[in-house]
Amino acid sequence: MLLLLTLCIPAYYALAPITRHNPVPRLFLRTVGTICGLRIRKLGALPVPGSFFIANHVSWLDIPALAGTTGTAFVAHDGLAGFGPLRWLCELNDTVFIARHQRATVSIQIEQIRAAMHETGALAVFPEGTTSGGVELLPFKSSLLSAIEGHDRHVAVQPVWLDYGPEAREIAWVGDEPGLDNALHILARWRPIPLTLHFLPPLTGEERTNRKTMAHGARRAIARAMGLDPD
């Protein structure tokens, strides 16, 4: 991974002045996923340019998997921004950092999200707010969906189910497990990690009424795909 990083950084800055959508972050993240053992399969409706993905969250592997497949940027908790090198790497992929507990900044955050959508062409959010065990689904928080509420109907809002199958419990990063321990556990595996990305139909009609209906519609679609009670 370090060798890959040393190759990709100069390539990124070489291409930055001449391309709007720099392909290097997507290539880097896709290769990181491959190094970690991800074997990705795609099912369902193909994403369209300018999509806003709403996905369940199981592991840090979700990020290289989804970004490497679609080129999407992410909305992330601002706690990640406290570590300089990590913030720098995230910003290379146009990550939007959100202070989720500062309600006064919601309007600023919405503008940041809209700007990122314009720059990157796609953005993804994990509205559970944390990782789950992969076989259940936590409540979806709707505040960040305000960025695409109302007049932004041209933006496709697409639920995505990240399905690790029977490996979900072993892969999931939950509880008090340190991130480094989880990463070393995954890298020590001999078996590949199968992951199916289910691109579910984009939300339509009344599901697009407001941020709460979008959060509810996306959660219901993912829950049904998982075989869970949608309510």
Side-chain angles (χ1 to χ4, degrees):
M1 289 186 192
L2 289 174
L3 176 60
L4 175 67
L5 185 62
T6 60
L7 294 173
C8 285
I9 288 173
Y12 174 87
Y13 285 109
L15 291 174
I18 59 175
T19 181
R20 177 180 174 185
H21 300 305
N22 198 313
V24 175
R26 179 175 183 176
L27 173 64
F28 172 75
L29 289 167
R30 183 168 62 230
T31 309
V32 165
T34 301
I35 293 171
C36 292
L38 282 176
R39 301 297 181 264
I40 297 173
R41 184 171 62 132
K42 296 175 289 184
L43 291 179
L46 293 176
V48 299
S51 293
F52 191 97
F53 301 115
I54 303 178
N56 63 310
H57 199 14
V58 181
S59 166
W60 56 272
L61 290 172
D62 301 346
I63 294 171
L66 197 53
T69 302
T70 67
T72 187
F74 293 89
V75 178
H77 188 273
D78 63 347
L80 291 175
F83 182 54
L86 181 58
R87 179 187 182 96
W88 171 65
L89 286 173
C90 290
E91 287 178 341
L92 294 183
N93 194 49
D94 298 303
T95 298
V96 179
F97 291 105
I98 296 298
R100 290 184 298 184
H101 302 296
Q102 297 180 20
R103 300 296 300 171
T105 65
V106 168
S107 61
I108 297 174
Q109 294 167 2
I110 289 171
E111 290 307 313
Q112 289 176 324
I113 290 172
R114 287 178 175 165
M117 284 286 296
H118 177 73
E119 290 296 323
T120 65
L123 201 61
V125 65
F126 300 115
E128 291 171 284
T130 186
T131 51
S132 62
V135 294
E136 65 273 346
L137 203 58
L138 301 177
F140 279 14
K141 299 175 175 63
S142 66
S143 60
L144 296 180
L145 302 183
S146 299
I148 51 172
E149 190 173 25
H151 64 276
D152 290 328
R153 292 298 181 107
H154 64 282
V155 175
V157 181
Q158 188 164 19
V160 183
W161 172 30
L162 290 99
D163 175 18
Y164 289 90
E167 303 281 347
R169 287 292 189 191
E170 184 178 351
I171 297 304
W173 179 21
V174 293
D176 298 325
E177 182 183 16
L180 180 59
D181 289 355
N182 181 267
L184 292 175
H185 165 72
I186 288 175
L187 290 172
R189 288 170 50 97
W190 288 95
R191 301 191 311 276
I193 301 170
L195 170 60
T196 302
L197 298 178
H198 298 263
F199 291 96
L200 306 176
L203 303 183
T204 59
E206 293 183 357
E207 294 174 323
R208 292 294 305 267
T209 302
N210 54 52
R211 61 184 176 87
K212 292 186 177 180
T213 61
M214 285 189 282
H216 179 71
R219 188 182 186 281
R220 182 172 54 192
I222 295 172
R224 284 176 174 168
M226 296 174 68
L228 303 175
D229 183 349
D231 298 317

